[in-house]
Amino acid sequence: MKTILQLFASLLVAGALGTSAQAANFRTVVIDPGHGGQDHGGQWGQVYEKHLALDTATRLETNLKNLGYQTVMTRRSDYFITLPQRVYIGNSYKDAIFVCIHFNYTWKQDVSGLETYYYSSEGQRLAQFVQSSLVSRTHTIDRSAKFARFYVLRNSTLPAILVEGGFVSNESERDRMKSGGFREAIARGVAEGIQRYRRSF
Ligand SMILES: [Zn+2]
């Protein structure tokens, strides 16, 4: 029993080292715009999360390319893609990180702000850099970096985060989201957070 536990502990250490060594050299960012096609995500009137996510993800791609990163998009237009497909695309890259872009929704219409989710410890570091850059770029409510067991985060072998760029269900936030300037501020904040994370090794 002791031997098995020791073996397990050494595997955990090896796994952790492998992850951070791999993350330290990343040159590619796999960008995953949430939802698409018949899956609208959060919706209020004519404002659909799937459209906001794709536009913001495309802006993020431009920002990252300007910083010298290689990028991969899990979808480039308005079509449906399953969660396992998204994870499969991300996991086929080695020196990469995985960044999902979403917008939030809740029945409590007064709730607003941005948050960034993670599952792994390396994901947590990435989420903290991204969340702080996001908040300073957008000057909005900081709902912090948080742990979550989302399928795409749990099953990713890369440092992975899921950004929630504000609440479609909140009137003032929804108004901001409709402007390209706000979506650009989110994209820029995420890109800056990724850059700060890259330089932290
Ligand atoms: Zn979503």
PDB file of all heavy atoms in Angstrom, residues 30-49:
ATOM      1  N   VAL A  30      -4.856  28.195 -28.146  1.00  0.00           N
ATOM      2  CA  VAL A  30      -6.068  27.638 -28.748  1.00  0.00           C
ATOM      3  C   VAL A  30      -7.243  28.426 -28.171  1.00  0.00           C
ATOM      4  O   VAL A  30      -7.454  28.443 -26.954  1.00  0.00           O
ATOM      5  CB  VAL A  30      -6.218  26.129 -28.438  1.00  0.00           C
ATOM      6  CG1 VAL A  30      -7.477  25.574 -29.106  1.00  0.00           C
ATOM      7  CG2 VAL A  30      -4.978  25.364 -28.890  1.00  0.00           C
ATOM      8  N   ILE A  31      -7.962  29.112 -29.053  1.00  0.00           N
ATOM      9  CA  ILE A  31      -9.069  29.984 -28.632  1.00  0.00           C
ATOM     10  C   ILE A  31     -10.381  29.272 -28.931  1.00  0.00           C
ATOM     11  O   ILE A  31     -10.610  28.829 -30.064  1.00  0.00           O
ATOM     12  CB  ILE A  31      -9.020  31.336 -29.378  1.00  0.00           C
ATOM     13  CG1 ILE A  31      -7.648  32.003 -29.184  1.00  0.00           C
ATOM     14  CG2 ILE A  31     -10.141  32.249 -28.897  1.00  0.00           C
ATOM     15  CD1 ILE A  31      -7.423  33.205 -30.104  1.00  0.00           C
ATOM     16  N   ASP A  32     -11.234  29.177 -27.921  1.00  0.00           N
ATOM     17  CA  ASP A  32     -12.483  28.425 -28.049  1.00  0.00           C
ATOM     18  C   ASP A  32     -13.688  29.339 -27.803  1.00  0.00           C
ATOM     19  O   ASP A  32     -14.069  29.567 -26.653  1.00  0.00           O
ATOM     20  CB  ASP A  32     -12.460  27.271 -27.025  1.00  0.00           C
ATOM     21  CG  ASP A  32     -13.736  26.460 -27.037  1.00  0.00           C
ATOM     22  OD1 ASP A  32     -14.268  26.195 -28.137  1.00  0.00           O
ATOM     23  OD2 ASP A  32     -14.218  26.090 -25.939  1.00  0.00           O
ATOM     24  N   PRO A  33     -14.290  29.872 -28.871  1.00  0.00           N
ATOM     25  CA  PRO A  33     -15.491  30.708 -28.690  1.00  0.00           C
ATOM     26  C   PRO A  33     -16.681  29.819 -28.294  1.00  0.00           C
ATOM     27  O   PRO A  33     -17.009  28.876 -29.010  1.00  0.00           O
ATOM     28  CB  PRO A  33     -15.719  31.319 -30.086  1.00  0.00           C
ATOM     29  CG  PRO A  33     -14.524  30.929 -30.916  1.00  0.00           C
ATOM     30  CD  PRO A  33     -13.942  29.705 -30.297  1.00  0.00           C
ATOM     31  N   GLY A  34     -17.305  30.113 -27.181  1.00  0.00           N
ATOM     32  CA  GLY A  34     -18.386  29.274 -26.652  1.00  0.00           C
ATOM     33  C   GLY A  34     -19.599  29.191 -27.580  1.00  0.00           C
ATOM     34  O   GLY A  34     -19.868  30.111 -28.360  1.00  0.00           O
ATOM     35  N   HIS A  35     -20.314  28.036 -27.478  1.00  0.00           N
ATOM     36  CA  HIS A  35     -21.595  27.842 -28.156  1.00  0.00           C
ATOM     37  C   HIS A  35     -21.479  27.900 -29.688  1.00  0.00           C
ATOM     38  O   HIS A  35     -20.415  27.639 -30.223  1.00  0.00           O
ATOM     39  CB  HIS A  35     -22.632  28.828 -27.607  1.00  0.00           C
ATOM     40  CG  HIS A  35     -22.621  28.848 -26.095  1.00  0.00           C
ATOM     41  ND1 HIS A  35     -23.277  27.896 -25.348  1.00  0.00           N
ATOM     42  CD2 HIS A  35     -21.956  29.638 -25.206  1.00  0.00           C
ATOM     43  CE1 HIS A  35     -23.035  28.133 -24.053  1.00  0.00           C
ATOM     44  NE2 HIS A  35     -22.243  29.172 -23.936  1.00  0.00           N
ATOM     45  N   GLY A  36     -22.560  28.256 -30.395  1.00  0.00           N
ATOM     46  CA  GLY A  36     -22.547  28.293 -31.862  1.00  0.00           C
ATOM     47  C   GLY A  36     -23.672  27.466 -32.456  1.00  0.00           C
ATOM     48  O   GLY A  36     -24.126  26.487 -31.858  1.00  0.00           O
ATOM     49  N   GLY A  37     -24.133  27.867 -33.652  1.00  0.00           N
ATOM     50  CA  GLY A  37     -25.216  27.149 -34.329  1.00  0.00           C
ATOM     51  C   GLY A  37     -26.494  27.185 -33.495  1.00  0.00           C
ATOM     52  O   GLY A  37     -26.880  28.239 -32.989  1.00  0.00           O
ATOM     53  N   GLN A  38     -27.128  26.014 -33.349  1.00  0.00           N
ATOM     54  CA  GLN A  38     -28.394  25.958 -32.602  1.00  0.00           C
ATOM     55  C   GLN A  38     -28.209  26.231 -31.105  1.00  0.00           C
ATOM     56  O   GLN A  38     -29.167  26.515 -30.400  1.00  0.00           O
ATOM     57  CB  GLN A  38     -29.085  24.599 -32.806  1.00  0.00           C
ATOM     58  CG  GLN A  38     -28.424  23.402 -32.120  1.00  0.00           C
ATOM     59  CD  GLN A  38     -27.427  22.673 -33.024  1.00  0.00           C
ATOM     60  OE1 GLN A  38     -26.761  23.285 -33.858  1.00  0.00           O
ATOM     61  NE2 GLN A  38     -27.334  21.365 -32.865  1.00  0.00           N
ATOM     62  N   ASP A  39     -26.972  26.147 -30.634  1.00  0.00           N
ATOM     63  CA  ASP A  39     -26.666  26.445 -29.224  1.00  0.00           C
ATOM     64  C   ASP A  39     -26.328  27.934 -29.102  1.00  0.00           C
ATOM     65  O   ASP A  39     -25.232  28.359 -29.423  1.00  0.00           O
ATOM     66  CB  ASP A  39     -25.476  25.566 -28.788  1.00  0.00           C
ATOM     67  CG  ASP A  39     -24.977  25.925 -27.395  1.00  0.00           C
ATOM     68  OD1 ASP A  39     -25.670  26.676 -26.677  1.00  0.00           O
ATOM     69  OD2 ASP A  39     -23.877  25.449 -27.035  1.00  0.00           O
ATOM     70  N   HIS A  40     -27.331  28.720 -28.670  1.00  0.00           N
ATOM     71  CA  HIS A  40     -27.167  30.179 -28.617  1.00  0.00           C
ATOM     72  C   HIS A  40     -26.390  30.652 -27.401  1.00  0.00           C
ATOM     73  O   HIS A  40     -25.897  31.761 -27.376  1.00  0.00           O
ATOM     74  CB  HIS A  40     -28.535  30.867 -28.588  1.00  0.00           C
ATOM     75  CG  HIS A  40     -29.359  30.604 -29.812  1.00  0.00           C
ATOM     76  ND1 HIS A  40     -30.684  30.978 -29.905  1.00  0.00           N
ATOM     77  CD2 HIS A  40     -29.043  30.010 -30.982  1.00  0.00           C
ATOM     78  CE1 HIS A  40     -31.145  30.613 -31.101  1.00  0.00           C
ATOM     79  NE2 HIS A  40     -30.176  30.026 -31.765  1.00  0.00           N
ATOM     80  N   GLY A  41     -26.342  29.820 -26.343  1.00  0.00           N
ATOM     81  CA  GLY A  41     -25.799  30.285 -25.066  1.00  0.00           C
ATOM     82  C   GLY A  41     -26.778  31.252 -24.431  1.00  0.00           C
ATOM     83  O   GLY A  41     -27.975  31.213 -24.712  1.00  0.00           O
ATOM     84  N   GLY A  42     -26.278  32.156 -23.595  1.00  0.00           N
ATOM     85  CA  GLY A  42     -27.144  33.154 -22.965  1.00  0.00           C
ATOM     86  C   GLY A  42     -27.738  34.075 -24.018  1.00  0.00           C
ATOM     87  O   GLY A  42     -27.077  34.391 -25.006  1.00  0.00           O
ATOM     88  N   GLN A  43     -28.982  34.471 -23.810  1.00  0.00           N
ATOM     89  CA  GLN A  43     -29.649  35.287 -24.838  1.00  0.00           C
ATOM     90  C   GLN A  43     -30.586  36.280 -24.183  1.00  0.00           C
ATOM     91  O   GLN A  43     -31.289  35.947 -23.228  1.00  0.00           O
ATOM     92  CB  GLN A  43     -30.439  34.355 -25.762  1.00  0.00           C
ATOM     93  CG  GLN A  43     -31.140  35.058 -26.896  1.00  0.00           C
ATOM     94  CD  GLN A  43     -32.006  34.105 -27.715  1.00  0.00           C
ATOM     95  OE1 GLN A  43     -31.967  32.888 -27.527  1.00  0.00           O
ATOM     96  NE2 GLN A  43     -32.798  34.652 -28.610  1.00  0.00           N
ATOM     97  N   TRP A  44     -30.584  37.505 -24.708  1.00  0.00           N
ATOM     98  CA  TRP A  44     -31.550  38.524 -24.268  1.00  0.00           C
ATOM     99  C   TRP A  44     -31.979  39.295 -25.506  1.00  0.00           C
ATOM    100  O   TRP A  44     -31.159  39.980 -26.108  1.00  0.00           O
ATOM    101  CB  TRP A  44     -30.918  39.467 -23.242  1.00  0.00           C
ATOM    102  CG  TRP A  44     -31.954  40.323 -22.566  1.00  0.00           C
ATOM    103  CD1 TRP A  44     -32.581  41.397 -23.110  1.00  0.00           C
ATOM    104  CD2 TRP A  44     -32.468  40.146 -21.250  1.00  0.00           C
ATOM    105  NE1 TRP A  44     -33.474  41.899 -22.209  1.00  0.00           N
ATOM    106  CE2 TRP A  44     -33.431  41.163 -21.054  1.00  0.00           C
ATOM    107  CE3 TRP A  44     -32.226  39.235 -20.219  1.00  0.00           C
ATOM    108  CZ2 TRP A  44     -34.134  41.293 -19.861  1.00  0.00           C
ATOM    109  CZ3 TRP A  44     -32.923  39.376 -19.033  1.00  0.00           C
ATOM    110  CH2 TRP A  44     -33.876  40.393 -18.866  1.00  0.00           C
ATOM    111  N   GLY A  45     -33.228  39.135 -25.908  1.00  0.00           N
ATOM    112  CA  GLY A  45     -33.663  39.792 -27.146  1.00  0.00           C
ATOM    113  C   GLY A  45     -32.830  39.311 -28.317  1.00  0.00           C
ATOM    114  O   GLY A  45     -32.714  38.116 -28.550  1.00  0.00           O
ATOM    115  N   GLN A  46     -32.231  40.265 -29.002  1.00  0.00           N
ATOM    116  CA  GLN A  46     -31.407  39.918 -30.170  1.00  0.00           C
ATOM    117  C   GLN A  46     -29.929  39.741 -29.815  1.00  0.00           C
ATOM    118  O   GLN A  46     -29.103  39.558 -30.703  1.00  0.00           O
ATOM    119  CB  GLN A  46     -31.530  41.013 -31.242  1.00  0.00           C
ATOM    120  CG  GLN A  46     -32.941  41.228 -31.756  1.00  0.00           C
ATOM    121  CD  GLN A  46     -33.448  40.060 -32.586  1.00  0.00           C
ATOM    122  OE1 GLN A  46     -33.713  38.972 -32.067  1.00  0.00           O
ATOM    123  NE2 GLN A  46     -33.560  40.267 -33.885  1.00  0.00           N
ATOM    124  N   VAL A  47     -29.612  39.836 -28.523  1.00  0.00           N
ATOM    125  CA  VAL A  47     -28.217  39.703 -28.095  1.00  0.00           C
ATOM    126  C   VAL A  47     -27.945  38.245 -27.733  1.00  0.00           C
ATOM    127  O   VAL A  47     -28.506  37.720 -26.772  1.00  0.00           O
ATOM    128  CB  VAL A  47     -27.917  40.620 -26.880  1.00  0.00           C
ATOM    129  CG1 VAL A  47     -26.454  40.509 -26.472  1.00  0.00           C
ATOM    130  CG2 VAL A  47     -28.264  42.063 -27.214  1.00  0.00           C
ATOM    131  N   TYR A  48     -27.120  37.586 -28.530  1.00  0.00           N
ATOM    132  CA  TYR A  48     -26.799  36.174 -28.336  1.00  0.00           C
ATOM    133  C   TYR A  48     -25.362  36.015 -27.859  1.00  0.00           C
ATOM    134  O   TYR A  48     -24.444  36.584 -28.465  1.00  0.00           O
ATOM    135  CB  TYR A  48     -26.931  35.404 -29.664  1.00  0.00           C
ATOM    136  CG  TYR A  48     -28.316  35.206 -30.207  1.00  0.00           C
ATOM    137  CD1 TYR A  48     -29.381  35.962 -29.750  1.00  0.00           C
ATOM    138  CD2 TYR A  48     -28.554  34.261 -31.192  1.00  0.00           C
ATOM    139  CE1 TYR A  48     -30.663  35.774 -30.262  1.00  0.00           C
ATOM    140  CE2 TYR A  48     -29.822  34.051 -31.715  1.00  0.00           C
ATOM    141  CZ  TYR A  48     -30.878  34.817 -31.242  1.00  0.00           C
ATOM    142  OH  TYR A  48     -32.121  34.631 -31.750  1.00  0.00           O
ATOM    143  N   GLU A  49     -25.187  35.198 -26.846  1.00  0.00           N
ATOM    144  CA  GLU A  49     -23.834  34.924 -26.348  1.00  0.00           C
ATOM    145  C   GLU A  49     -22.926  34.363 -27.450  1.00  0.00           C
ATOM    146  O   GLU A  49     -21.752  34.714 -27.535  1.00  0.00           O
ATOM    147  CB  GLU A  49     -23.895  33.939 -25.174  1.00  0.00           C
ATOM    148  CG  GLU A  49     -22.523  33.605 -24.618  1.00  0.00           C
ATOM    149  CD  GLU A  49     -22.544  32.492 -23.580  1.00  0.00           C
ATOM    150  OE1 GLU A  49     -23.631  32.079 -23.156  1.00  0.00           O
ATOM    151  OE2 GLU A  49     -21.447  32.031 -23.214  1.00  0.00           O
TER     152      GLU A  49
END
